[in-house]
C-alpha cells in the first residue's frame, strides 16, 4: 500500500474498532490517499468512482466500508465484486477474509478454470461476499439453483477500464439487469475511458469522484533504466541481467503466452529458477506458479500482462520488460509490481529496433528520460552460444509437447512443459554477484 496519509488513522475515518484493529494486524499503519478519501464518503452511503493507480490500496478503500455495513446488518450475498482476472479475484477475496476475520465475514470466489460443483457448494453456504469474474458469475446466476443477487446491497467493479477492455461489457450489462437498483455501487479504475464513463452513467447514482493521482507516474523509490538491444540477442541480454541480479526476485513481462513458455524453458536450461504464468494455463497451474513465486521457491516469474495489475507480491525486487508494451499505460502497471509501499525496486526495459517508438511514448507518459542500463556488449555475448543452445533445446521440448497433443487430438496449451517447470528444481549456472 502506498501514499500514506500520516495525519490520519483508520479510526479517524469512521471505522469501528474491529476493522481498525484488522488494518493494524495487516501492517497498514495509516490509510493510503484513496482510502482516506473514499472511506468517509462510502460510510455516508455515497456511490463512488475511484481513479487510482495500481498499488494504491484501493481494495481496502471498498472492502472496509462494505465490511462495516455488513457488521451493522449481516446477510447472505451482501456484496459482489467483479474483477477482470482470476488472480485478482482471489487476492481481493483474501483481503476481505483477512480484514473481516474478526467479524466472521465469509467470502466465495467464482472464477473460470475451477470446477463448477465446488463453486456451487460454496454458494450453497450463502457467503456474505462474492468475488467473481463476470463470465463465471453470469454462468452461476443462470445455472446454479437457488443462487441470485436480488438482495445485493453493494456492487463493486474493480479495474473497470480493464474489465471493459477485455470485452466483458455484455456480461456486465446482463449482471446489472438482475441486481437491485437500490444498492451502493463502487467503480474503481486506473483510467477514465469512454467505456468507463458510459458504465458510470449506467450504474451509479450521483457518485463522488475521487482521484488518488492526477497523472500517470511511477513511485520515487523505483529505479528505471532501459537497454537498446538487437532483437536477435534479446534472450542473451535477459539472461545476462538475471544472472547479474541473481539474488533478486524478478518478474519478466512478455507480449505473448508462447513467449512465457519459451523463455521459462530457456532460463531453466541455463539453471535459472524461472516459472511462467499466462492466460493459456489452467487455473490450477496459474495458482501453482504464483504460489511457488510468492513462497520464494522460484525467484523469476515470466508473465504476460495477466500479472501486471492488482497482484500484491511485496517482495519483487526487479521488473524486466522483455517486450515493450504497445499501450504505454501498461508500462505503469507492470513496473508497479516492484517498489511497493515505500520499498525500492528496479525496472529495466529491453528495447529492440522495432520497439523504439513505443518506448518513446512511455517516456512521454511518465515525463522522464530514462538512463541506460550499464553493460558491455562483449560481456553479454560471452553467453550467446550457451543461450542459443538452451533455446534450441527449449524449442525441441515445445515441439515435442505440441506433437504429443496433436496425436491425441488435443489443443496445445503447453501444459506438458509447464507441469515440468512446476515440479522441476534447478541450480544456477551463472552465479554472479548482485549489482549494487
Amino acid at each position: 500500500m502506498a501514499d500514506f496519509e500520516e495525519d490520519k488513522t483508520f479510526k479517524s475515518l469512521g471505522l469501528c474498532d474491529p476493522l481498525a484493529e484488522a488494518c493494524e494486524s495487516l501492517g497498514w499503519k495509516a490509510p493510503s490517499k484513496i482510502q482516506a478519501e473514499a472511506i468517509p464518503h462510502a460510510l455516508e452511503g455515497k456511490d463512488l468512482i475511484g481513479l487510482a493507480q495500481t498499488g494504491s490500496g484501493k481494495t481496502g478503500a471498498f472492502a472496509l466500508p462494505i465490511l462495516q455495513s455488513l457488521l451493522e446488518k449481516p446477510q447472505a450475498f451482501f456484496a459482489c465484486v467483479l474483477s477482470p482476472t482470476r488472480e485478482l479475484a482471489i487476492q481481493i477475496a483474501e483481503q476481505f477474509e483477512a480484514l473481516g476475520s474478526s467479524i466472521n465475514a465469509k467470502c466465495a470466489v467464482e472464477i473460470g478454470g475451477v470446477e463448477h460443483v465446488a463453486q456451487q457448494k460454496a454458494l450453497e453456504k450463502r457467503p456474505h461476499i462474492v468475488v467473481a469474474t463476470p463470465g463465471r458469475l453470469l454462468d452461476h446466476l443462470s445455472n446454479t439453483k437457488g443462487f441470485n443477487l436480488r438482495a445485493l446491497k453493494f456492487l463493486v467493479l474493480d479495474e473497470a477500464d480493464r474489465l471493459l477492455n477485455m470485452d466483458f461489457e455484455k456480461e456486465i450489462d446482463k449482471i446489472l439487469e438482475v441486481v437491485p437498483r437500490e444498492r451502493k455501487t463502487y467503480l474503481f479504475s486506473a483510467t477514465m475511458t469512454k467505456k468507463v464513463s458510459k458504465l458510470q452513467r449506467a450504474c451509479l447514482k450521483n457518485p463522488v469522484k475521487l482521484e488518488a493521482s492526477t497523472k500517470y507516474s511511477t513511485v520515487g523509490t523505483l529505479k528505471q533504466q532501459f537497454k537498446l538491444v538487437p532483437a536477435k540477442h534479446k534472450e542473451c541480454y535477459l539472461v545476462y541481467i538475471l544472472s547479474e541480479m541473481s539474488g533478486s526476485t524478478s518478474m519478466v513481462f512478455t507480449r505473448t503466452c508462447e513467449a512465457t513458455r519459451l523463455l521459462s524453458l530457456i532460463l531453466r536450461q541455463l539453471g535459472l529458477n524461472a516459472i511462467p504464468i499466462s492466460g493459456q494455463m489452467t487455473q490450477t497451474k496459474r495458482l501453482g506458479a504464483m504460489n511457488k513465486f510468492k513462497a520464494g521457491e522460484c525467484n523469476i516469474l515470466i508473465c504476460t500482462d495477466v500479472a501486471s495489475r492488482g497482484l500484491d507480491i511485496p517482495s519483487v525486487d526487479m521488473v524486466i520488460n522483455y517486450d515493450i508494451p504497445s499501450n504505454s499505460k501498461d508500462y505503469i502497471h507492470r513496473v508497479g509490481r516492484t517498489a511497493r509501499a515505500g520499498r525500492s525496486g528496479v525496472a529495466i526495459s529491453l528495447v529492440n529496433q522495432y520497439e523504439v517508438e513505443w518506448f518513446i511514448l512511455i517516456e512521454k507518459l511518465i515525463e522522464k528520460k530514462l538512463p541506460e542500463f550499464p553493460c558491455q556488449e562483449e560481456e553479454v555475448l560471452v553467453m550467446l552460444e550457451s543461450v542459443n543452445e538452451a533455446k534450441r533445446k527449449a524449442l525441441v521440448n515445445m515441439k515435442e509437447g505440441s506433437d504429443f497433443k496433436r496425436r491425441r487430438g488435443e489443443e496445445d496449451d503447453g501444459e506438458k512443459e509447464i507441469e515440468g517447470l512446476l515440479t522441476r528444481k534447478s541450480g544456477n549456472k551463472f552465479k554472479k554477484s548482485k549489482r549494487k
Side-chain angles (χ1 to χ4, degrees), residues 51-195:
L51 298 180
Q53 300 303 319
T54 184
S56 61
K58 60 184 180 317
T59 304
F62 61 75
L64 289 163
I66 288 172
L67 289 168
Q68 182 139 317
S69 295
L70 176 67
L71 186 59
E72 293 164 6
K73 293 183 180 176
Q75 68 163 63
F77 305 122
F78 187 76
C80 176
V81 183
L82 296 179
S83 157
T85 68
R86 302 166 184 180
E87 286 76 19
L88 181 54
I90 291 166
Q91 189 168 287
I92 291 167
E94 286 172 350
Q95 204 146 89
F96 263 105
E97 285 169 350
L99 290 168
S101 59
S102 63
I103 64 169
N104 297 315
K106 293 183 173 54
C107 199
V109 182
E110 307 299 320
I111 54 177
V114 177
E115 220 271 314
H116 264 80
V117 175
Q119 291 186 344
Q120 286 170 343
K121 286 180 179 175
L123 291 173
E124 284 170 9
K125 292 177 182 176
R126 299 178 62 76
H128 303 111
I129 318 289
V130 176
V131 187
T133 48
R136 183 53 65 98
L137 180 66
L138 201 56
D139 190 354
H140 282 296
L141 285 168
S142 304
N143 302 312
T144 298
K145 191 176 178 182
F147 171 58
N148 65 69
L149 294 176
R150 288 196 286 269
L152 191 77
K153 303 299 180 190
F154 288 85
L155 178 67
V156 182
L157 294 103
D158 194 20
E159 302 278 9
D161 53 338
R162 196 160 175 221
L163 273 170
L164 298 171
N165 283 342
M166 292 171 75
D167 294 328
F168 285 127
E169 205 164 352
K170 288 180 182 176
E171 286 91 341
I172 291 169
D173 285 344
K174 288 178 181 175
I175 291 164
L176 290 173
E177 287 172 9
V178 297
V179 297
R181 291 193 175 189
E182 294 304 313
R183 62 168 196 272
K184 300 291 176 283
T185 306
Y186 302 154
L187 187 153
F188 283 84
S189 179
T191 55
M192 181 52 81
T193 64
K194 287 181 181 177
K195 283 186 175 183

Side-chain angles (χ1 to χ4, degrees), residues 173 176 181 183 196-205:
D173 285 344
L176 290 173
R181 291 193 175 189
R183 62 168 196 272
V196 173
S197 180
K198 179 183 168 189
L199 179 62
Q200 167 210 327
R201 291 194 299 273
C203 71
L204 280 82
K205 293 179 182 175

Side-chain angles (χ1 to χ4, degrees), residues 1 8-31 39 43 64-65 67-68 71 98-100 102-103:
M1 208 170 61
K8 295 182 180 176
T9 65
F10 286 101
K11 190 88 184 284
S12 72
L13 299 181
L15 289 173
C16 61
D17 287 339
L19 291 177
E21 287 163 14
C23 293
E24 193 175 327
S25 69
L26 288 178
W28 296 5
K29 296 175 184 174
I39 290 171
L43 293 177
L64 289 163
L67 289 168
Q68 182 139 317
L71 186 59
L99 290 168
S102 63
I103 64 169

Side-chain angles (χ1 to χ4, degrees), residues 265-283:
L265 289 164
I266 290 171
L267 294 173
R268 283 281 178 156
Q269 290 282 350
L270 294 167
L272 292 162
N273 214 354
I275 199 160
I277 183 169
S278 74
Q280 277 187 354
M281 293 163 64
T282 64
Q283 187 59 27

